[in-house]
Amino acid sequence: ITTKPSGLSGGALNLIKTITADSASTVSFVHGSSDVIFDSTYPIYVLKIINAHLDLDDRDLRINFTTDGTNFNVTKTTTFFRTTLGENGSNQSFGYRTNADLAQSTGDQVLGEAQSGGSGNADANICIDFLIFNPSSDTFVKHFMATTQGVAQGSLSENCFIAGYCNTTSAVTGFRFNTGGGGATTIDGTFKLYGIKDS
């Protein structure tokens, strides 16, 4: 785990923390824990997930949020679109995924569906750009969006577009990634949290 010294200033995009996951069951960023900043310091936070690999096949990578630093169960409403293409040119698809959206749910939000993983797919991974806006607001809901590119089960190139909001006026103080889709698994990969300065 690496962090940026709290007194160091930079450009518009400031690295807050890097977590290198190695067989981790979850990956969490919570304000005030392990040098994480996730409050009114920045109006926009960006998370980049680089080469996340799951140790089992056909599992999802998911996210949930917290307002108290302990319980990751914030109510969310979201949308989810996905495009796919197989290595041999088959399985072309584009569509809305009703089984991956949320309607006033406290459940985890899927970011990548049925990812390839395990030793048989050692080169498969998923990369994600995730943004959340003004998470510390005590007036408005908290909007977020994500774009993902991964290798889904069956050697599919899977490009997902997720957007929604945390339906709470309490400050969102952190978030956590985990896996799902049929059993516990672990995550390897690099997780980088940035803050974008207010103009």
Side-chain angles (χ1 to χ4, degrees):
I1 297 174
T2 59
T3 60
K4 176 179 177 179
S6 59
L8 186 63
S9 62
L13 186 65
N14 290 310
L15 177 62
I16 296 168
K17 188 176 184 69
T18 300
I19 296 177
T20 302
D22 183 5
S23 298
S25 58
T26 62
V27 176
S28 301
F29 291 85
V30 176
H31 178 69
S33 174
S34 302
D35 299 317
V36 171
I37 298 170
F38 197 71
D39 61 3
S40 60
T41 301
Y42 299 101
I44 304 170
Y45 286 85
V46 177
L47 184 92
K48 294 183 178 289
I49 302 175
I50 303 163
N51 293 343
H53 175 78
L54 310 184
D55 75 338
L56 293 176
D57 198 30
D58 192 20
R59 300 296 187 269
D60 304 332
L61 187 61
R62 304 179 179 201
I63 189 172
N64 213 328
F65 304 88
T66 183
T67 58
D68 61 11
T70 302
N71 300 295
F72 292 85
N73 57 358
V74 173
T75 300
K76 297 166 293 300
T77 295
T78 65
T79 63
F80 191 111
F81 285 86
R82 183 180 79 162
T83 64
T84 63
L85 178 66
E87 289 181 352
N88 62 0
S90 64
N91 295 310
Q92 301 168 352
S93 71
F94 173 77
Y96 188 83
R97 301 289 291 172
T98 56
N99 63 329
D101 67 10
L102 299 174
Q104 288 299 95
S105 172
T106 60
D108 298 334
Q109 173 60 52
V110 173
L111 296 177
E113 288 187 293
Q115 294 300 292
S116 288
S119 59
N121 301 287
D123 61 346
N125 61 76
I126 183 171
C127 299
I128 299 175
D129 275 329
F130 180 89
L131 292 90
I132 185 167
F133 301 88
N134 203 15
S136 65
S137 173
D138 59 4
T139 303
F140 299 112
V141 300
K142 319 305 186 293
H143 292 281
F144 59 87
M145 61 181 69
T147 303
T148 77
Q149 172 57 42
V151 180
Q153 187 182 38
S155 298
L156 299 179
S157 172
E158 180 185 70
N159 191 199
C160 302
F161 304 89
I162 304 101
Y165 59 90
C166 297
N167 194 8
T168 179
T169 56
S170 297
V172 170
T173 59
F175 49 93
R176 179 176 69 189
F177 297 92
N178 59 57
T179 64
T185 187
T186 60
I187 311 166
D188 297 333
T190 303
F191 295 70
K192 289 181 172 287
L193 179 64
Y194 299 84
I196 298 180
K197 282 186 176 179
D198 199 350
S199 59

